[in-house]
Amino acid sequence: MKRYLLTSLLALTISAPVSLSAQDEKEEKDTYIYATYFYCKTATQDKADELIKKNAAPIYDAAVDDGTISAWGWTSHHTGGKWRKIQYHMSDSVAGLLAAQETLAKRADEAAGGVDDGFAEICGAHDDYIWKVESGSGITDERASAGLSVYHVCSIANEERADEIVEKIFAPVYDKAVADGKIKSWGWSSHVVGGKYRRLGTMTGANFADLLEARGEILDAIYGDGENAEANEFSSICGSHSDYLWEILHNKS
């Protein structure tokens, strides 16, 4: 039995809450994430982190404070594929994401005063995705430093069924892991714009060792002896994936 863990980035520490009352559901706003996945030169990628901390972080932090965006973050590759860095920002609509992108770019240009800081030379290519948060544990006050991500390739015809299975079968197990202190947060997001990945899962923890141990316990709880028909159905819908471990270097909400 092949097991698939519902985890990934984007909102590594932030996701929409589940188990809401009818009134809360009515008032709860949607959450969208604009994520840029960078390809960087490994020899100089640490310099990119320094440039983000120095030049971008003050601008993005201020944008959270003034309501231009609801959250943002910067993460660094630990284990996985070719993506080396992620920068993301969040809003309650796709229009809000795109408007914020223009505003932030303008503010960055003004702050730079026409001087090229060399970031593009280090991280010269990227992939963009827009995600909609479907379910998860909500915002945590405890900042996590380790993130485990799974980017799923799913059948477009059946991917909404996968979301239903996550809500019914997976969410209670993940919520219990959060309540027990095994993980700090989890989330599940759907594709709006971007490449081949149709679904994104996120799980965060204090460190990679504890996070991976929790993952094993969660898989055992969900799949057990392999007889959970709906969990197996999920694996048939989202039958391919890419895993990443991310160091969460900065996030603000």
Side-chain angles (χ1 to χ4, degrees):
M1 171 63 200
K2 203 167 186 178
R3 297 172 172 179
Y4 297 97
L5 177 65
L6 305 177
T7 53
S8 172
L9 171 87
L10 237 195
L12 275 169
T13 59
I14 304 170
S15 51
V18 296
S19 303
L20 299 171
S21 69
Q23 182 63 29
D24 287 336
E25 286 183 359
K26 192 174 182 179
E27 296 177 355
E28 185 67 26
K29 293 182 178 180
D30 289 330
T31 301
Y32 291 87
I33 308 163
Y34 192 109
T36 300
Y37 298 85
F38 289 99
Y39 300 91
C40 307
K41 298 177 180 178
T42 56
T44 53
Q45 63 182 1
D46 289 347
K47 178 65 175 178
D49 299 332
E50 296 173 9
L51 293 172
I52 290 294
K53 182 178 180 180
K54 177 184 177 182
N55 299 326
I59 295 169
Y60 277 75
D61 284 352
V64 174
D65 291 337
D66 68 22
T68 300
I69 54 177
S70 59
W72 85 280
W74 176 258
T75 71
S76 182
H77 177 281
H78 180 279
T79 301
K82 294 182 178 180
W83 290 332
R84 305 304 299 180
K85 308 288 180 181
I86 307 172
Q87 183 172 355
Y88 69 88
H89 66 273
M90 304 174 70
S91 181
D92 60 6
S93 68
V94 173
L97 288 179
L98 299 178
Q101 185 182 33
E102 292 185 8
T103 298
L104 290 164
K106 182 178 179 180
R107 292 178 183 177
D109 288 343
E110 291 173 351
V115 177
D116 183 358
D117 67 2
F119 178 87
E121 175 63 24
I122 301 169
C123 300
H126 64 272
D127 296 324
D128 293 324
Y129 276 80
I130 294 177
W131 304 98
K132 180 184 178 183
V133 177
E134 299 290 348
S135 57
S137 59
I139 297 174
T140 175
D141 291 331
E142 296 184 73
R143 296 307 187 191
S145 60
L148 173 62
S149 299
V150 176
Y151 302 86
H152 292 272
V153 178
C154 307
S155 166
I156 296 178
N158 305 108
E159 60 190 5
E160 291 184 2
R161 172 57 181 156
D163 298 337
E164 294 174 358
I165 296 171
V166 169
E167 186 82 14
K168 177 182 177 182
I169 303 299
F170 294 82
V173 179
Y174 277 85
D175 287 341
K176 185 176 187 303
V178 172
D180 291 344
K182 299 294 182 66
I183 61 176
K184 290 188 178 296
S185 67
W186 74 276
W188 179 252
S189 298
S190 62
H191 175 280
V192 178
V193 173
K196 68 179 180 180
Y197 297 116
R198 301 297 304 176
R199 290 299 186 268
L200 167 68
T202 61
M203 189 170 75
T204 68
N207 57 69
F208 292 117
D210 290 347
L211 193 57
L212 292 173
E213 182 178 356
R215 178 183 69 166
E217 294 176 1
I218 289 169
L219 286 172
D220 286 341
I222 291 173
Y223 285 98
D225 58 6
E227 298 301 318
N228 188 323
E230 287 182 293
N232 293 339
E233 182 185 0
F234 169 86
S235 296
S236 70
I237 297 170
C238 299
S240 176
H241 66 279
S242 296
D243 300 331
Y244 279 80
L245 294 177
W246 298 102
E247 294 183 70
I248 303 168
L249 300 183
H250 189 94
N251 63 79
K252 180 177 174 62
S253 61

